Amino acid sequence: LILSPETFTNTGTLRASNGARLALASGTFENYGVIEVLEGSQLVTTGLGASGLEIETGASLGGSGSVIGNVTNTAGTVAPGATLGTLAITGDFFQESEGELSIELSGMTQGTESDFLDISGSATIDGVLRTSLLGGFMPDESDTFIILEADGGVFGTFSSVFDPGGNAWSVTYGATQVILEFEQAAVPEPGTHLLLGLGVLCLARRRRLSREPRFAPG
């Protein structure tokens, strides 16, 4: 499928699946919706100019297929994998200060249990890195995950790392890789400790009372 009108605005969902090839070649392509490139399928952005596909505010690009051309995340979300997987970009990747890269982790295996962004060109990054743990997975301290690799080099850094579960992470930037390291699991709020303590005391008291001898009236 080739989309090549002079102006095309996406506010819904564009999805390439089952080995399909979706080519974008509009004079003006505005993306405010969802674009999914599922495994075995391709999205071609070379017809959109030097910036390639631009991910605007409220928009997203995700999936475990491949993108042929450049991708610029202006203020949206790039999320490799449909749930978990590898999104390949044959081109350059740019993430600006209001963009977000979303990485999900359910195990240690790259590309199947942890999301991975594989870029043949360069990666220029800024904005937010969002990390999420799935399925009860909890890494050990100092476990590392390669979340992004760019053959043409990595430039810039994320301005912040956000984990909705409150876990602590650190990020290392190599010449061609971005590596995520797990530092510490979320520490429960003080109120949580208090509730747990009260629960333990109540349980102990109930057990003690149940063990006390009881006498029937004479």
Side-chain angles (χ1 to χ4, degrees):
L1 175 64
I2 300 176
L3 299 178
S4 58
E6 183 59 32
T7 300
F8 187 93
T9 302
N10 175 40
T11 57
T13 299
L14 290 175
R15 180 182 296 114
S17 61
N18 298 319
R21 182 179 173 96
L22 173 63
L24 308 178
S26 301
T28 301
F29 184 91
E30 297 181 352
N31 178 41
Y32 302 100
V34 176
I35 297 179
E36 296 178 349
V37 191
L38 303 185
E39 186 173 359
S41 299
Q42 291 183 338
L43 172 68
V44 182
T45 69
T46 52
L48 298 179
S51 296
L53 174 64
E54 295 190 43
I55 313 299
E56 309 286 352
T57 302
S60 65
L61 169 66
S64 52
S66 59
V67 179
I68 312 300
N70 298 336
V71 174
T72 299
N73 185 10
T74 304
T77 300
V78 172
T83 301
L84 292 163
T86 297
L87 179 65
I89 297 177
T90 303
D92 296 329
F93 175 68
F94 305 88
Q95 178 163 296
E96 298 181 0
S97 60
E98 296 183 14
E100 177 182 282
L101 176 62
S102 176
I103 297 293
E104 295 178 326
L105 308 162
S106 70
M108 299 298 298
T109 306
Q110 182 190 77
T112 56
E113 295 180 318
S114 63
D115 286 341
F116 178 55
L117 187 59
D118 188 11
I119 304 163
S120 70
S122 63
T124 303
I125 52 179
D126 197 347
V128 177
L129 170 62
R130 179 188 179 96
T131 63
S132 301
L133 299 177
L134 304 181
F137 172 61
M138 182 60 64
D140 294 328
E141 291 185 13
S142 300
D143 278 351
T144 58
F145 306 83
I146 299 174
I147 59 170
L148 182 153
E149 186 164 356
D151 296 342
V154 173
F155 305 94
T157 60
F158 295 108
S159 59
S160 62
V161 179
F162 172 67
D163 183 318
N167 303 299
W169 301 84
S170 63
V171 182
T172 300
Y173 301 90
T176 60
Q177 294 180 333
V178 177
I179 301 171
L180 188 63
E181 181 176 343
F182 187 72
E183 289 191 336
Q184 185 179 9
V187 177
E189 296 292 332
T192 304
H193 287 298
L194 179 60
L195 290 174
L196 287 173
L198 289 174
V200 170
L201 287 174
C202 290
L203 181 60
R205 185 172 184 275
R206 289 181 62 185
R207 288 179 175 175
R208 180 176 58 81
L209 291 175
S210 67
R211 292 172 182 171
E212 290 181 353
R214 298 183 181 180
F215 300 96

